[in-house]
Amino acid sequence: MVDIKINDEIRLTDDKFLMIAGPCSVESEEQIIRVATQLRKIGVNVLRGGAFKPRTCPDSFQGLGEEGLKLLAKARDATGMAIITEVMDMDELPLVAEYADILQVGSRNSQNFSLLKKISRYDKPVLLKRGFGNTVDELISSSKYLSMNGNKRIMFSERGIRTFEQSTRFTLDISAIPVLHEKTEYPVIIDPSHPAGVNRYVEPLALGGTAAGADGLMIEVHPDPPKALSDSAQQLTVPQFQNLYTKVKNINAVLGKTVI
Amino acid sequence: MVDIKINDEIRLTDDKFLMIAGPCSVESEEQIIRVATQLRKIGVNVLRGGAFKPRTCPDSFQGLGEEGLKLLAKARDATGMAIITEVMDMDELPLVAEYADILQVGSRNSQNFSLLKKISRYDKPVLLKRGFGNTVDELISSSKYLSMNGNKRIMFSERGIRTFEQSTRFTLDISAIPVLHEKTEYPVIIDPSHPAGVNRYVEPLALGGTAAGADGLMIEVHPDPPKALSDSAQQLTVPQFQNLYTKVKNINAVLGKTVI
Amino acid sequence: MVDIKINDEIRLTDDKFLMIAGPCSVESEEQIIRVATQLRKIGVNVLRGGAFKPRTCPDSFQGLGEEGLKLLAKARDATGMAIITEVMDMDELPLVAEYADILQVGSRNSQNFSLLKKISRYDKPVLLKRGFGNTVDELISSSKYLSMNGNKRIMFSERGIRTFEQSTRFTLDISAIPVLHEKTEYPVIIDPSHPAGVNRYVEPLALGGTAAGADGLMIEVHPDPPKALSDSAQQLTVPQFQNLYTKVKNINAVLGKTVI
Amino acid sequence: MVDIKINDEIRLTDDKFLMIAGPCSVESEEQIIRVATQLRKIGVNVLRGGAFKPRTCPDSFQGLGEEGLKLLAKARDATGMAIITEVMDMDELPLVAEYADILQVGSRNSQNFSLLKKISRYDKPVLLKRGFGNTVDELISSSKYLSMNGNKRIMFSERGIRTFEQSTRFTLDISAIPVLHEKTEYPVIIDPSHPAGVNRYVEPLALGGTAAGADGLMIEVHPDPPKALSDSAQQLTVPQFQNLYTKVKNINAVLGKTVI
């Protein structure tokens, strides 16, 4: 596996496990600073938060936009955490790249080849999510657009695929972990929040992905989930996350890895 | 169903069935003029042809770009056909909109909400393909981005979904036709070429979609398929298409519709 | 394609199209005789009707059992129609085989190899349904159990597969028709009722399957669908069926086939 | 969760984790005794082995039949292990029930309601596999056939479902674990061998299922996998299994459970 340098302090290597956490959307300065501070205290080094949100319907909350990016930067200043946020659109790319430590490409853009090509010109770590209708081989092909200009700081994210089973929102495909490890040199981060759809299924999926050999987790955590402006059902509270964090640390210990 | 005015001569209405045909990619002036002339003679009024191609791998043929658009315009001048071509990218959108009579949004961009929003500002007919991992309800949600500025000239295209069955490239979901007709007022165009994957399955899928109540077909036809630079296996020859065209006309006659 | 002799009068050959219709379940003498008489008048030669019903839950109506078989035989005597009914179980096989002209193997038994082996010893036409989770290749493998003792009177039935799309109960895979025709010598009967799930989608799927090259249809028709003891939502009324029958005849005429 | 008494020594309860291992098929006395002895030494208490094999094609190895059952009984006598084997067929049921401590219902029989009803009359623990095309809700419905006569010693087995992803044979759906725990009172045993399809993916899936909260594992282990008469690619060697067993024990320790 290639080493992924995220900032001067954090580097994801074979014997490490990267924990990313934060709210689905950045909603206010109070919200993001509060949750970032709590997560940092637990030990999390990378803060997630959406500023531009891809929403199935045009009348859903679309994120705070640039204001959201500024709030993420404030949270970074306040806590020292690295920040990851989604870039949906090539017009927003220069702006997002100015603020984010890690660029996230969402599931619906996993085969937006035009966007991937533009991102490839930035020298930034990228988290590339698997499209929920895409095969592992297509995900690997998409990563070739990202690396075409030499950037090797790519992380895959498995976040569930579409199947006939509807008791969860998507079916988390943990077999993608060994398959991607066999076929590529990039780490695999499991997103258990989106396939779960509801917060009570997040922990089993997170632990399952961890034990199956993932290199990290990205988990939605909100200081007050019922009030969240998006994905309210699936976000964990901070105490739920803290409990999960301990188990993730212990399972990684069994596997010889340290959580960063 | 809303009427879809395509140009001064062609208008898709309840009692009409729209035939769109042409090569996967525009490859040369000779190729596109030749096939357009032959298709026009058969009775086809709308010519398809890719100038910007979404390719899974960055090292595959990516299309002729603006040169391809110019060749499509020449084919329009030579034959009087309307032209449809895919827009992959918001940067290319003004250029593509200058040339195309119908803008096509491909399967991989079916939930590229940023692109859809930009397209919504153009007063052009749009063919919106269903993402191969998307539900019918998601396709309908995507159309709301296109119509958010009042454009109602939207056509859906069903082009196969991902399923466990691998004997064809995708599984054409003809039940999407009655479901879309029930839930929306837009016509549904069946693309049998992409789910078929090979040309010998194109005719059964085309006829099946027609009889299931589709409002049109979009079929890949190449003057010399083995020499095609993309999707060579699935393109029909002109004689194969002519044969299919006759059957489509006859089935539409049974259903009380005229092929335009 | 092999010829399938069903009885002295009915033989399914390349230029014929077999229409099978009848209620989901045999419910009473009055019901089955009434619907059989009406269907026969329209031109249907094969009557379907369930006596032993495979039900997902043990507390659903399980069919009339042997009494149902006797009522089917009465309907045959009254109308001259051939009868087809499902055999669920090797214990019931001798009994069902005594009454039925065609043995039907349901979707959930498509890989019940023990049952298939037992059926192979009977010299009867068999309708083998595709399991909703099975590939076309698995369906073909199952047919080898049926033919292992020399019986070649096998008909496949495509009845929809499980996919992520939930706006219909199953996704009818019409591409299975040309694939099966290419790989085997047996005819393919489309069942549009089970994938539709509701009766307003039955006609588009039936016509789509017909035009895609199917060799027949099997359609659920009930004299009074709202009162049906099973699958009430998806059964057609007799007038709905009559209307569909005319269209099926006309589409077959386009394709050079006669409905039997 | 209900307690599942397997024999006088083994009882699966909330704080326990059941390990089942053994070859895909019983092939010879030497093979089964050798592998049973080795597995017992590692700490395994339940031995699996197929005597009647459900095979997609009639010309594949169909198992040793009754002879296989006798060899399993010999292995039980030699080691004290409980034995689990598949019952495919109601004719074989009395015979299989005579030998087996746990009756296994395979994936293809998960909705063979006739068989389930017959099994319900035996007072035996049953391992009910999920059909690869079945939803979790259908699996639960099938269990109601098994419990209709009062038997509550039911264990579910998740063994992968059919999806569009083909880089593994099936997609292991670990979210079925929390969903089944929420909706029923029966334990869930993960079978990682069948979804993996190849032995190098078995360990990640096994550990993933364990950490996701499964109540046990069933793993194919063969003394000499390349010589196996069925499923040769996916069976583990004994040393591979031993290594996996240690990790499973350690992960269960994190979760507060003991492996039995």
Side-chain angles (χ1 to χ4, degrees), chain C residues 55-58 62 89-91 108 111-114 117-118 132-134 138 141 144-145 162, chain D residues 55-58 62 89-91 108 111-114 117-118 132-134 138 141 144-145 162:
Chain C
R55 303 308 298 274
T56 305
C57 286
Q62 308 265 331
D89 184 316
M90 54 185 68
D91 281 3
R108 288 163 188 79
Q111 292 199 305
N112 182 340
F113 306 125
S114 302
K117 279 187 206 172
K118 297 242 163 128
F132 49 70
N134 286 129
E138 287 174 331
S141 289
K144 291 178 185 162
Y145 279 96
R162 277 269 156 83
Chain D
R55 304 306 299 272
T56 305
C57 286
Q62 308 265 330
D89 185 316
M90 55 185 70
D91 281 3
R108 287 162 189 79
Q111 291 198 306
N112 182 340
F113 306 123
S114 302
K117 280 187 207 172
K118 296 240 164 132
F132 50 70
N134 286 129
E138 286 173 332
S141 289
K144 292 179 185 163
Y145 278 96
R162 276 268 158 83

Side-chain angles (χ1 to χ4, degrees), chain A residues 53-59 62 88-92 108-109 111-115 117-118 132-135 137-138 141-142 144-145 148 162 164 170, chain B residues 53-59 62 88-92 108-109 111-115 117-118 132-135 137-138 141-142 144-145 148 162 164 170:
Chain A
K53 300 297 303 172
R55 304 307 299 272
T56 305
C57 286
D59 48 356
Q62 307 266 330
M88 279 181 59
D89 182 318
M90 56 185 67
D91 282 3
E92 299 153 2
R108 286 162 190 79
N109 279 319
Q111 293 199 305
N112 182 340
F113 306 124
S114 302
L115 180 63
K117 279 187 206 173
K118 297 240 163 127
F132 51 68
N134 287 130
T135 61
D137 284 342
E138 287 174 332
S141 289
S142 284
K144 291 179 184 163
Y145 279 96
M148 64 194 284
R162 275 269 157 82
F164 63 78
F170 296 94
Chain B
K53 300 297 303 172
R55 302 308 298 273
T56 305
C57 287
D59 47 356
Q62 307 265 329
M88 279 180 60
D89 185 318
M90 57 186 66
D91 282 3
E92 300 152 0
R108 288 163 187 79
N109 279 319
Q111 292 197 305
N112 182 339
F113 306 124
S114 301
L115 180 63
K117 278 187 206 171
K118 296 242 163 126
F132 50 70
N134 287 129
T135 61
D137 284 342
E138 287 174 330
S141 289
S142 285
K144 291 178 185 162
Y145 279 96
M148 64 195 284
R162 277 268 158 81
F164 64 77
F170 296 94

Side-chain angles (χ1 to χ4, degrees), chain A residues 26-162:
Chain A
V26 181
E27 296 169 0
S28 69
E29 178 165 349
E30 194 276 334
Q31 173 235 27
I32 194 70
I33 299 289
R34 186 172 144 213
V35 77
T37 310
Q38 292 173 314
L39 292 170
R40 180 59 150 175
K41 228 168 102 184
I42 292 169
V44 178
N45 293 308
V46 184
L47 176 69
R48 62 150 288 150
F52 297 95
K53 300 297 303 172
R55 304 307 299 272
T56 305
C57 286
D59 48 356
S60 301
F61 172 61
Q62 307 266 330
L64 294 182
E66 185 170 1
E67 176 60 18
L69 297 175
K70 286 181 180 162
L71 297 180
L72 283 170
K74 280 197 183 176
R76 172 172 50 201
D77 292 345
T79 61
M81 296 168 92
I83 61 178
I84 175 171
T85 196
E86 177 167 349
V87 53
M88 279 181 59
D89 182 318
M90 56 185 67
D91 282 3
E92 299 153 2
L93 174 55
L95 189 70
V96 176
E98 213 178 290
Y99 288 93
D101 298 291
I102 308 172
L103 297 170
Q104 176 180 327
V105 179
S107 187
R108 286 162 190 79
N109 279 319
S110 196
Q111 293 199 305
N112 182 340
F113 306 124
S114 302
L115 180 63
L116 299 178
K117 279 187 206 173
K118 297 240 163 127
I119 291 173
S120 74
R121 294 185 206 131
Y122 287 78
D123 183 31
K124 287 263 181 190
V126 183
L127 183 86
L128 175 64
K129 290 202 158 190
R130 177 182 184 181
F132 51 68
N134 287 130
T135 61
V136 168
D137 284 342
E138 287 174 332
L139 178 61
I140 295 172
S141 289
S142 284
S143 74
K144 291 179 184 163
Y145 279 96
L146 288 175
S147 65
M148 64 194 284
N149 292 307
N151 189 358
K152 289 250 178 179
R153 291 196 282 166
I154 296 169
M155 295 179 278
F156 292 120
S157 174
E158 160 62 27
R159 44 77 74 213
I161 58 173
R162 275 269 157 82

